[in-house]
Each structure stands twice: as C-alpha cells, then as structure tokens.
Amino acid sequence: MAFTLYALIQTAILCVNAIAVLHEERFLSKIGWGADQGIGGFGDEPGIKSQLMNLIRSVRTVMRVPLIIVNSICIVLLLLFG
Amino acid sequence: MDYSSTPTGFRQRKLQPKVRMRSPGSGTSDPNQLFDDTSSGSAGFRSQEASGLGYPAQALLSEPMSNFAMAYGSSLASQGKEMVDKNLDRFIPISKLKYYFAVDTVYVGKKLGLLVFPYMHQNWEVSYQQDTPVAPRFDINAPDLYIPAMAFITYILVAGLALGTQDRFSPEILGMQASSALVWLIIEVLATLLSLYLVTVNTDLTTIDLIAFSGYKYVGMIVGVLAGLLFGKTGYYLILLWCCMAIFVFMIRTLRLKILSEAAAEGVLVRGAKNQLRMYLTMAIAAAQPVFMYWLTFHLIR
C-alpha cells in the first residue's frame, strides 16, 4: 500500500476533526461518555473508559482553535489547487 | 610550526585591525602610501602569526580590509550558529538524541546478533548509573537509534535492489518506499503511545525509545529480502519466519521489563486485571512487528 506523508497528514486532520465534532451534551452524555460521568474512584487508577473520555475531552478543548486554522488552510489550498 | 599558538595568534590578528586601522590616521610618514608597509621590518611579527595558517593565505590575510571582513564574518557566523542551536534545541532535544547515537562497533555487532538470535541472552535489564541510563556503548540492553536509522536506509536501498532485479525500478519508487515505510513507522509509534496512555502504565519509555524499538524490525526485513533475492521464495519465507520469531521474542523480553510491574517481570505469575492488561499490551506490540515485517516486504519478492 503506497502511503505518502501527505496521506498521513490528511488522515490525522480527518481523525482530529472527527473527535472534535462529538458534541458534549447531545451525544456523549447520551451514551454515557460525558465528561462529568467519568470521575470514578480516586483511589483506584482510572480504567480504560475514563482515560478515553479524558482523552476525547482534552482533544476537544485543546485542538479547537488550531483546528479552525488548519481547516481554513486546507479549504483554501483545496480551492486553489484542487 | 607551533599549532598551539595559532588560536591565540588568530585572536590577536582579530584585534590587530583595530590597531592597524588607526595607524594611517595617526600620520604615515609617506603620504603616497595608502597601506602600511608590511613587506619588511614590522612584517616579521605578522608573518610569524600568519605562518600558522599557511603561506597562500598570508598574502590575502595581511590586507587590513579583508582581515576586518573575515573577523566580522566569523562573528556573524558564530552568532547565527548560537541562535540556530538555541532554537533547534527547543523542538528537537539534541542532547537526548546524542545519547542514542553513542555506540561503537562492538555494541552494534552484539546487538545485531541479539536481534537475530535472542534466545541465549540471559540478562535483559538496562543498567543505570545514578538514575540515568548508561550509554549504549556500555550496555547492550540499552536502545539506540543508530541501528534503526541505518537499517531504515539500508531497507530502502535493498528494496530498490529487489525491484530492480524484477525490472520494476524507477527513481520515484525509492521515494515511495521510503515515505511508505516512514508512515507505517509513525502510525505504529502513535498507536503504541496511545495504547500505553490508555492502559496508564507508569513507565520510563520515551517516544524515542519507542521509535528505536520499532526500528529494530528493519534488520530482520533486510535479512529476509536479501535471502529472498539469493534463494527465491522459499528462502525468503524461511528466513522471514526465523526473523519474525526472533524479533517477537526480543520485543517481549525487552518490553516485559519496562511495562510490567517488578514482580511480574521476574516471572512470578501475578494475578490481577492490571497486569493481565499490560501483558496483553506487550504481546500486542510484539505481535505487530512480524505483521509489519511481512506487510512491508512481501511485495518485493515475486
């Protein structure tokens, strides 16, 4: 399978966009993956599910602004160069 | 010729222009003379310093303006170098990278042997020296980046060779192979980092360590492809199977000490969901290596 670095960048942008569009109230709480439902016992170390929920929430918080910039650049480049 | 005095002589020559630029202003004896007469007398002192740099440079360097320009240029260059070093160190930790390249021939030889035949090695622990891991030169169990880097480049060359024997070669293919293998490496390292984060393992495995461990499989791939070139498909499959088993055992024995807890690493069966999960993780990382080895080489042998 011939991968290029450009394909990797595209994949990364698409994946991060996919994580960023998961809505907190409308979707994640409905399936029990909301941010406020994850805080379990502090004595135990967190399980995989709470780690995943933490990861999703932190990706959404951190990458919101950079994603706006990167997506705008992608749109402009695709418009110009097809 | 005394080379030890050359640096000081050079330094003194940098200071010289300031002294010598002033001397025409203070009034030369001959108004027709634009430059100082360095052909005799006072030239004895200057030629002594210039002889350190060699005779062809002497004529050029004794000119005051070129002296000045050289001093200015060298100070600019050192300033630029400082700035580049400082900024580069922010993104890529150069000093940490140097640790991974501190290898010597004996280490490389032993490590290559270990990658192909890890069954006899007894002690897989990395030795520490006052909280910092020992350089790879002194400890065969320490990961390094020299072998993965060289193996990666050799893999690309061997892939070009293999494609060339089948009349499928073109220079673009080399670039495609290189970026393809690099992309798979990045994907594998990211997947490993993600799974290590999800399992909340307290380990001192850095990202560079993971890159090093993922790069060790290129050695097996090279041996397999070369065997396939020499002995045909059966040779390729046999040698690849051997190398796959070897890298599987190598990865399990190395990662077991880093990921599992102390008790479990010593072979004592520790029950508990946490250790079981970590064992599964180690097995998954180790099992991904043969898969990648096959995936990246089977299209080279027809």
Side-chain angles (χ1 to χ4, degrees):
Chain A
M1 197 189 304
F3 263 148
T4 56
L5 279 176
Y6 179 64
L8 184 68
I9 297 177
Q10 269 186 327
T11 315
I13 293 180
L14 281 175
C15 281
V16 179
N17 270 327
I19 297 183
V21 296
L22 296 172
H23 196 276
E24 191 66 52
E25 310 176 346
R26 291 182 202 155
F27 177 65
L28 291 178
S29 305
K30 297 285 169 57
I31 61 171
W33 276 29
D36 48 351
Q37 297 156 352
I39 307 174
F42 278 111
D44 273 352
E45 55 179 55
I48 291 192
K49 188 172 155 192
S50 67
Q51 285 288 101
L52 253 184
M53 290 180 335
N54 263 336
L55 184 66
I56 292 179
R57 191 164 53 109
S58 47
V59 166
R60 291 183 63 239
T61 319
V62 168
M63 295 300 286
R64 197 160 277 177
V65 173
L67 263 185
I68 296 176
I69 302 174
V70 170
N71 281 337
S72 319
I73 296 178
C74 273
I75 290 174
V76 168
L77 284 178
L78 280 174
L79 278 177
L80 286 180
F81 299 118
Chain B
M1 196 171 319
D2 187 3
Y3 284 99
S4 63
S5 73
T6 314
T8 54
F10 183 66
R11 228 0 82 87
Q12 282 177 13
R13 199 180 312 109
K14 273 210 284 193
L15 294 175
Q16 283 282 325
K18 295 203 180 87
V19 173
R20 293 177 67 243
M21 286 301 282
R22 269 188 234 126
S23 52
S26 60
T28 47
S29 53
D30 190 359
N32 287 333
Q33 196 180 20
L34 289 174
F35 300 105
D36 280 350
D37 187 8
T38 55
S39 55
S40 62
S42 61
F45 177 50
R46 294 245 337 112
S47 63
Q48 214 179 19
E49 299 166 7
S51 68
L53 278 189
Y55 291 110
Q58 188 181 4
L60 179 64
L61 292 176
S62 58
E63 298 278 328
M65 285 313 290
S66 65
N67 239 340
F68 213 40
M70 206 172 61
Y72 185 61
S74 65
S75 80
L76 258 189
S78 66
Q79 263 180 16
K81 182 165 154 21
E82 255 179 51
M83 206 161 52
V84 166
D85 276 346
K86 197 169 56 147
N87 280 331
L88 193 60
D89 207 28
R90 240 183 266 165
F91 296 116
I92 311 174
I94 299 276
S95 48
K96 279 195 224 151
L97 272 184
K98 276 194 193 166
Y99 160 80
Y100 288 97
F101 284 100
V103 296
D104 61 345
T105 323
V106 173
Y107 169 83
V108 170
K110 280 198 201 162
K111 192 84 177 190
L112 287 177
L114 202 62
L115 283 170
V116 180
F117 195 77
Y119 307 106
M120 303 288 292
H121 192 69
Q122 299 297 332
N123 179 27
W124 292 85
E125 286 213 3
V126 181
S127 42
Y128 281 82
Q129 186 197 18
Q130 296 162 352
D131 240 11
T132 56
V134 175
R137 196 177 296 152
F138 306 115
D139 177 25
I140 193 180
N141 292 319
D144 70 315
L145 273 182
Y146 175 80
I147 291 182
M150 293 293 140
F152 183 75
I153 298 174
T154 313
Y155 160 73
I156 297 170
L157 295 175
V158 166
L161 179 70
L163 288 176
T165 55
Q166 300 161 22
D167 284 336
R168 284 193 292 157
F169 180 78
S170 77
E172 292 90 31
I173 294 225
L174 274 186
M176 284 302 298
Q177 287 286 329
S179 59
S180 201
L182 197 65
V183 162
W184 281 116
L185 182 74
I186 293 177
I187 290 180
E188 185 187 344
V189 169
L190 284 179
T192 312
L193 276 174
L194 180 70
S195 47
L196 278 177
Y197 169 77
L198 286 181
V199 176
T200 60
V201 149
N202 291 338
T203 176
D204 54 353
L205 274 180
T206 61
T207 312
I208 308 186
D209 279 342
L210 286 177
I211 299 178
F213 287 134
S214 301
Y216 280 143
K217 62 172 170 303
Y218 287 108
V219 177
M221 289 189 332
I222 294 168
V223 176
V225 173
L226 285 177
L229 284 177
L230 289 173
F231 303 120
K233 275 205 128 174
T234 45
Y236 165 69
Y237 280 124
L238 279 177
I239 301 285
L240 195 72
L241 194 66
W242 175 271
C243 288
C244 284
M245 290 305 302
I247 203 87
F248 186 69
V249 170
F250 177 86
M251 289 297 285
I252 285 200
R253 288 203 183 157
T254 310
L255 287 179
R256 194 173 58 164
L257 288 170
K258 300 224 165 206
I259 296 185
L260 293 184
S261 61
E262 288 302 321
E266 281 165 19
V268 179
L269 281 175
V270 179
R271 291 286 164 212
K274 194 177 68 171
N275 273 321
Q276 211 177 21
L277 202 55
R278 291 183 182 184
M279 196 61 202
Y280 282 153
L281 177 67
T282 318
M283 308 264 311
I285 296 177
Q289 311 287 321
V291 170
F292 278 118
M293 283 171 73
Y294 180 68
W295 183 264
L296 286 172
T297 50
F298 77 99
H299 58 97
L300 295 174
I301 307 288
R302 287 271 173 90

